[in-house]
Amino acid sequence: MRRVVITGMGTVNSLGKNKDEYWKSITENKLGFSYIEDPAMKDFDVKIVSQVKDFVPDECIDKKEQRRTDRFTQLAVTAAMEAMRDCGSDLKDLDPYRVGVIIGCGIGGLELTQQEHLKYLDKGPGKISVFYVPMMIGNMAAGTIAMKTGFKGDNFATVTACASSTHAIGEAFRKIKDGYIDACLCGGTESCITEFALGGFNNMKALCRSSDLERASIPFDKERNGFVLGEGSGVLVLEEYEHAKARGARIYAEIAGYGATGDAYHMTSPSPDGDAAARAMMDAYTEAGLTAEGIDYINAHGTSTGLNDKYETTAIKKAFGEHAYKLKINSTKSMLGHLLGAAGAVEAIATALQISSGMVHRTVGYKVADEECDLDYCTESNIDMEVNAALSNSLGFGGHNATLCFKAVK
């Protein structure tokens, strides 16, 4: 089987409009949260979001095209173009049918749907934009990136709620490992900080209602009460190792394993027994040729919701046994909030950077210990340590579990 490595990464999120800004914010334990400014949502119970401010995609998308693409696509294209620059190659030496584009998205153009629905109610169906459908559909990020790059290999969107982009990266990994393609732009994107999304998530008691920015997203803390809704995109260039090595590419980390399971339990709650999530982790490190003791660190899904953090902790204990108490575990969502379909990709970037830098970031905002979440969540400070192997978890509504296993490349 062929090895698969990460050679390029790009992101746009509330902590940074590119990978370097994002990483600097993480190392400084900054928060990407802000108060809702939209007057239409000023009376909502939810006060805090994780929003990309002053985003202008002019460098990648001209003004005419911007009017014909939704924000989630613009975020994805911007992250993808950065990832291509970061990888140091246009990959034109490869057959374009051997380079794929796989971009996950949980919801797609929800804000556009709101806008067009209002036009329909006001002026009838004849006023709905002719671009509404192609702008709104969740696969258009992948399609647009392919048009920009000319890559003609596997091209599709994974739609598994909060696990969407982890599945996208995992499927890209498998395609390269098994020899179907040689490289892939993969990741995820989301932009749905809207009245519909905030109202829907809030009514199901999923969102944090705190008005304190520092106590809004507090994964594994006993006082956690919901996630902070975020937006953004993360895209990685995955490449077959020998090709990357031959061209002298910088390699951030190797993706060596992937686990994907389903809880078959509930629409929104993870399974209390943690069995399926544990199996995803075990499948990922086993495929990587490791045992439980070979994993040093986990980037947890860690949403700051009562059930997720409790049941993910249960799953980690099942997957690792006594070694669970020796693992370093953190949640990037403590600084970034929950980017839904983009979360896994942005957290995969954070995981790869922690491996390549030798630093595991703090889980920010944690104050009150929870007896049901009793592992080492890196709550005091950033930790300088060698990370030889790590996992990144994503758990999506519908019971979708996805785990990636990363290895350091020395």
Side-chain angles (χ1 to χ4, degrees):
M1 294 294 180
R2 307 191 314 167
R3 295 173 65 188
V4 182
V5 293
I6 303 168
T7 58
M9 300 188 290
T11 185
V12 183
N13 59 65
S14 66
L15 288 174
K17 294 189 175 69
N18 56 59
K19 178 202 66 181
D20 292 340
E21 286 183 7
Y22 172 52
W23 180 239
K24 184 174 186 294
S25 294
I26 285 176
T27 61
E28 296 174 355
N29 296 161
K30 290 185 177 179
L31 300 178
F33 311 136
S34 58
Y35 294 107
I36 295 172
E37 298 175 353
D38 188 337
M41 295 182 275
K42 65 181 178 65
D43 294 327
F44 280 27
D45 294 332
V46 178
K47 303 300 180 186
I48 296 171
V49 291
S50 177
Q51 194 162 26
V52 180
K53 299 291 186 67
D54 304 318
F55 170 63
V56 180
D58 290 354
E59 185 177 337
C60 303
I61 306 174
D62 64 33
K63 296 292 186 183
K64 180 179 180 181
E65 191 178 3
Q66 287 177 37
R67 294 192 292 272
R68 299 179 178 183
T69 52
D70 192 86
R71 183 177 173 90
F72 79 91
T73 296
Q74 295 172 10
L75 289 164
V77 170
T78 302
M81 295 303 101
E82 182 195 357
M84 288 300 298
R85 291 191 299 271
D86 190 49
C87 88
S89 172
D90 60 10
L91 302 179
K92 297 301 184 185
D93 61 310
L94 295 173
D95 179 346
Y97 287 98
R98 301 280 300 176
V99 185
V101 181
I102 306 174
I103 304 295
C105 185
I107 295 178
L110 186 59
E111 184 174 12
L112 180 66
T113 296
Q114 273 189 209
Q115 294 169 357
E116 295 302 315
H117 181 60
L118 290 173
K119 287 163 62 175
Y120 163 74
L121 292 176
D122 186 37
K123 297 182 179 179
K127 292 300 181 180
I128 297 173
S129 170
V130 298
F131 295 107
Y132 165 60
V133 171
M135 287 174 67
M136 170 273 297
I137 50 180
N139 63 296
M140 197 49 64
T144 302
I145 291 169
M147 295 174 212
K148 292 284 184 183
T149 59
F151 299 151
K152 297 182 178 181
D154 290 68
N155 186 283
F156 57 90
T158 49
V159 184
T160 49
C162 311
S164 296
S165 53
T166 301
H167 278 134
I169 297 167
E171 293 304 312
F173 156 71
R174 286 274 172 79
K175 292 284 185 180
I176 298 170
K177 177 183 177 182
D178 292 343
Y180 293 99
I181 55 177
D182 298 317
C184 192
L185 277 168
C186 56
T189 187
E190 202 79 87
S191 179
C192 59
I193 299 177
T194 67
E195 296 157 72
F196 272 13
L198 280 168
F201 280 122
N202 183 53
N203 289 346
M204 63 184 292
K205 313 300 183 187
L207 296 182
C208 171
R209 300 185 184 186
S210 172
S211 58
D212 182 350
L213 295 176
E214 295 185 356
R215 294 289 288 165
S217 183
I218 49 173
F220 305 105
D221 188 296
K222 190 167 186 175
E223 295 181 355
R224 65 191 184 277
N225 60 72
F227 67 80
V228 173
L229 183 62
E231 65 174 358
S233 181
V235 177
L236 298 81
V237 177
L238 300 193
E239 198 172 335
E240 190 273 323
Y241 172 71
E242 295 297 338
H243 181 268
K245 182 179 176 182
R247 70 177 184 84
R250 173 183 51 189
I251 295 174
Y252 290 99
E254 177 179 359
I255 295 185
Y258 167 48
T261 62
D263 284 345
Y265 171 72
H266 191 271
M267 290 175 67
T268 57
S269 171
S271 178
D273 60 23
D275 284 351
R279 178 63 178 266
M281 287 182 260
M282 294 166 71
D283 285 351
Y285 67 63
T286 299
E287 182 175 15
L290 300 170
T291 63
E293 289 73 24
I295 301 299
D296 304 306
Y297 153 65
I298 298 176
N299 189 305
H301 189 54
T303 59
S304 186
T305 58
L307 295 182
N308 176 89
D309 297 1
K310 175 182 175 180
Y311 297 154
E312 186 175 10
T313 296
T314 298
I316 291 170
K317 291 177 183 178
K318 286 200 171 184
F320 289 90
E322 286 302 311
H323 186 63
Y325 292 91
K326 299 177 182 179
L327 290 164
K328 297 299 181 185
I329 302 166
N330 64 12
S331 173
T332 304
K333 292 183 181 72
S334 67
M335 293 176 271
L336 191 59
H338 196 346
L339 275 57
L340 305 182
V346 176
E347 290 158 16
I349 291 171
T351 303
L353 290 170
Q354 287 172 96
I355 291 172
S356 63
S357 70
M359 186 276 283
V360 171
H361 74 68
R362 173 187 170 206
T363 297
V364 179
Y366 182 98
K367 289 184 179 179
V368 183
D370 184 343
E371 60 275 7
E372 294 183 306
C373 298
D374 60 348
L375 301 178
D376 183 350
Y377 305 108
C378 304
T379 58
E380 298 300 321
S381 64
N382 298 338
I383 301 168
D384 292 327
M385 61 177 282
E386 183 177 29
V387 180
N388 292 305
L391 300 184
S392 182
N393 288 338
S394 293
L395 316 177
F397 282 179
H400 307 287
N401 307 304
T403 298
L404 298 169
C405 182
F406 300 75
K407 284 183 177 179
V409 177
K410 299 178 181 180

